[in-house]
Amino acid sequence: MSGNIKLLSDTLAAAKAEGRSALIAYLPAGFPTVDGGIEAAKAVFDGGADVVEVGLPHSDPVLDGPVIQTADDIALRGGVKIADVMRTVREAHTATGKPVLVMTYWNPIDRYGIERFTAELAEAGGAGCILPDLPVQESATWREHADKHGLATVFVVAPSSKDARLADITAAGSGFVYAASLMGVTGTRESVGEQAQDLVRRTKATTGLPVCVGLGVSNAEQAAEVARFADGVIVGSAFVKLLLAADGDLAAGLAGVRSLAGELAEGVRKRS
């Protein structure tokens, strides 16, 4: 079975055709429970997200700030497994028909087996993987299997990336490019800053792929700011915070993430 890279590309192209950025939401699998995480993914889609990234919880999440680390810890203590990640992808995609990716560090895939992982992700209806710590120069085997199964390989670029390095990364990637808006870890911030705009400009000079910005966006105003120069706006910690704040009240948490998705969906259409 082939994965849904085309659905991802078509979704991003449709947002561009509407004169807006796409809204991409991140949620960890298994948080607050496996079933709760599936419902949360559906809720952000209901609210207006175009794409969902399902995080594969990891014990050493180097890119993730304290909010997502807390959620990952809850998921891991709850016994989340890769099979649960695949189930989350399958059910979120089946319920909505929208593109769902997995964001994961490399070690779990390496241990699980590249062919097994890509085949199962494609079978689940996944659109691809975001791989923040896989060096491009070591990615050939992964990309071969991802291409075979119709999955996007999304690499992360950062403000520290030199232009030549950006060109190497974007040439190897597919689906879109994940532009980390600043140096550091994920989390909500007061301002996304000019670094993100400069990084998007430099990245776009190397590729025709959509460039989507994450790390720091948490409200409609910031989403509108980023939407002026990025093809997609990625929001994670703000959604996870709402689920954490609900403190076990899943209905309240789902209402919160659905509402925030709606506000952000309006924001990416304003391009203030």
Side-chain angles (χ1 to χ4, degrees):
M1 180 174 177
S2 182
N4 274 312
I5 185 173
K6 184 176 186 302
L7 176 62
L8 174 65
S9 298
D10 289 350
T11 299
L12 295 172
K16 184 176 183 179
E18 293 173 15
R20 66 174 179 87
S21 288
L23 174 60
I24 302 174
Y26 167 92
L27 291 162
F31 170 76
T33 61
V34 175
D35 289 342
I38 291 168
E39 293 308 311
K42 294 177 186 176
V44 294
F45 273 136
D46 288 345
D50 298 290
V51 180
V52 164
E53 303 172 9
V54 173
L56 195 162
H58 193 266
S59 56
D60 186 25
V62 293
L63 186 71
D64 298 313
V67 171
I68 292 174
Q69 286 183 21
T70 299
D72 277 4
D73 184 58
I74 290 168
L76 290 168
R77 285 190 283 112
V80 69
K81 295 183 169 53
I82 288 179
D84 299 313
V85 177
M86 298 299 179
R87 181 183 155 215
T88 302
V89 171
R90 177 182 292 105
E91 295 199 17
H93 169 65
T94 300
T96 64
K98 295 183 178 180
V100 183
L101 300 109
V102 169
M103 186 166 187
T104 179
Y105 297 98
W106 180 245
N107 182 255
I109 294 178
D110 194 35
R111 291 177 60 187
Y112 197 72
I114 298 173
E115 171 59 21
R116 182 184 177 194
F117 190 94
T118 51
E120 290 183 7
L121 182 56
E123 191 275 330
C129 253
I130 301 165
L131 300 161
D133 66 340
L134 175 63
V136 169
Q137 63 269 26
E138 298 174 16
S139 68
T141 302
W142 161 266
R143 287 186 284 123
E144 176 186 341
H145 287 280
D147 289 347
K148 180 174 75 170
H149 290 290
L151 299 169
T153 297
V154 179
F155 289 114
V156 178
V157 297
S160 60
S161 303
K162 304 297 185 186
D163 289 352
R165 177 69 175 157
L166 289 176
D168 289 342
I169 293 170
T170 59
S174 56
F176 66 90
V177 182
Y178 187 125
S181 66
L182 36 73
M183 301 303 294
V185 298
T186 59
T188 59
R189 289 176 172 81
E190 294 299 316
S191 173
V192 179
E194 293 181 5
Q195 276 189 325
Q197 188 167 358
D198 179 64
L199 176 58
V200 170
R201 177 188 60 76
R202 293 194 298 118
T203 304
K204 281 181 169 290
T206 72
T207 183
L209 289 173
V211 181
C212 304
V213 170
L215 275 67
V217 177
S218 61
N219 58 49
E221 291 73 25
Q222 291 174 334
E225 176 194 348
V226 174
R228 285 190 292 108
F229 56 82
D231 299 301
V233 179
I234 303 169
V235 180
S237 295
F239 288 119
V240 176
K241 266 188 175 179
L242 290 170
L243 291 169
L244 284 169
D247 196 26
D249 184 344
L250 182 60
L254 295 178
V257 298
R258 188 180 294 107
S259 176
L260 177 60
E263 293 168 17
L264 293 165
E266 288 185 17
V268 299
R269 286 163 170 82
K270 287 180 180 174
R271 295 190 167 204
S272 67

